Amino acid sequence: MTGLGRPGEVALLQQSLAAAGYIAESALAAALLLMLDLERPLLLEGDAGVGKTEIAKALASVRATRLIRLQCYEGLDAHSAMYEWNYQRQLLAIKLLEGDGRDVALKEQDIFSERYLLKRPLLEAISCAQPPVLLIDEIDRADEAFEAYLLELLSDFQLSIPELGTVRATSRPLVVITSNGTRELSDALRRRCLYQYIEYPDHEKELAIVRMKAPQAAPGLARQIVAFVQSVRRMELQKKPGIAETLDWTAALLRLGISAIEREGSERILDTLGALIKTRDDRAAFPREAVARLAAAC
């Protein structure tokens, strides 16, 4: 898409994302359009559970292209994210080349060729003929050293492999980076990205999500579910429920045949809270009286 200023373009992308199962505000749709037009990575920051990962999935669906996901974690190193050599096949090849009379340098060139290279997500993403969506998920879980490895990719869309040289992108992937904000990201990484903060959904957006993802829930029940969850998020909890928890709780209520959230049914509602509240300390904040009070307010 080009020409961001053309009337209706943001709305058109919102409609396309909705068709792919994601409800996006105009600010997010505009950020995605800028990412496409400027060919810059988009950094999405926000609490866990607000739907950051789903944005990349929906974008891949809208663009009819592959989604390549790199899940970050503590201790992630460059080789696990970029490439590794297939050492077992290389050892077998070395054994087979023992009787080969060629120069050692030529043998090494054969051993360290692309057929022995295992492509991990970052190398895979820049090797695709059609631009994929590259999701670098929860970058804040990885350490600063890994961020430094990313800079070459995000700046020039190329990777350096000592044995092969510089590998340049066949096509430029659409890069979505997510962060839960558990640590501060480097200025160098932020400078290379466009930025969008994702909030928890407001009442209307969450209601639209529940209606889209759980159409079997009656309209009245859907409104009560959203009102209940919105009230829960205003409480002092260790882990506030995200959109996935809202949908899980909706499924739990339907499975147990609960058609309305009412004070009189607080005991049955308690039986479903394992789908919504995910820590022991947070669960302690929901005695029957608290649940009854929340239910009565829906």
Side-chain angles (χ1 to χ4, degrees), residues 35-143:
M35 180 189 77
L36 298 173
D37 285 347
L38 303 179
E39 297 185 324
R40 296 278 298 280
L42 176 61
L43 172 60
L44 301 174
E45 204 162 29
D47 292 329
V50 296
K52 301 184 298 297
T53 300
E54 293 302 314
I55 293 170
K57 294 179 181 179
L59 181 62
S61 177
V62 168
R63 302 283 293 187
T65 191
R66 286 183 62 191
L67 173 69
I68 298 176
R69 179 175 181 174
L70 172 63
Q71 178 62 55
C72 298
Y73 55 86
E74 186 177 354
L76 175 65
D77 61 18
H79 288 299
S80 299
M82 297 180 183
Y83 70 92
E84 290 183 280
W85 291 106
N86 190 332
Y87 294 116
Q88 290 182 328
R89 286 193 62 201
Q90 283 178 318
L91 288 172
L92 178 59
I94 290 170
K95 198 73 175 172
L96 294 174
L97 289 173
E98 283 180 352
D100 193 319
R102 289 183 299 164
D103 184 86
V104 173
L106 292 176
K107 292 181 182 180
E108 287 183 354
Q109 190 175 22
D110 185 48
I111 294 299
F112 289 101
S113 60
E114 285 194 30
R115 59 178 169 167
Y116 297 109
L117 193 66
L118 299 175
K119 295 179 180 179
R120 297 311 182 201
L122 298 184
L123 181 57
E124 181 71 21
I126 67 170
S127 301
C128 293
Q130 180 184 357
V133 173
L134 171 61
L135 170 62
I136 302 175
D137 212 8
E138 299 185 310
I139 183 64
D140 51 321
R141 290 182 178 271
D143 56 29

Side-chain angles (χ1 to χ4, degrees), residues 220-221 223-225 227-228 249 253 257-273 287-298:
L221 177 60
R223 284 193 296 271
Q224 288 183 315
I225 287 169
F228 190 100
W249 190 48
L253 292 170
I258 298 173
S259 58
I261 297 176
E262 301 170 328
R263 175 187 287 273
E264 294 74 17
S266 58
E267 199 67 49
R268 295 185 68 201
I269 294 172
L270 274 169
D271 294 338
T272 68
L273 286 187
R288 195 176 76 81
E289 297 75 19
V291 173
R293 187 170 60 254
L294 288 168
C298 292

Side-chain angles (χ1 to χ4, degrees), residues 221-260:
L221 177 60
R223 284 193 296 271
Q224 288 183 315
I225 287 169
V226 172
F228 190 100
V229 173
Q230 294 273 326
S231 296
V232 167
R233 288 202 190 108
R234 289 192 287 270
M235 298 171 64
E236 292 296 326
L237 301 176
Q238 289 181 352
K239 186 186 184 305
K240 298 184 185 219
I243 298 170
E245 282 74 30
T246 301
L247 297 174
D248 286 347
W249 190 48
T250 301
L253 292 170
L254 293 172
R255 180 65 181 85
L256 294 184
I258 298 173
S259 58

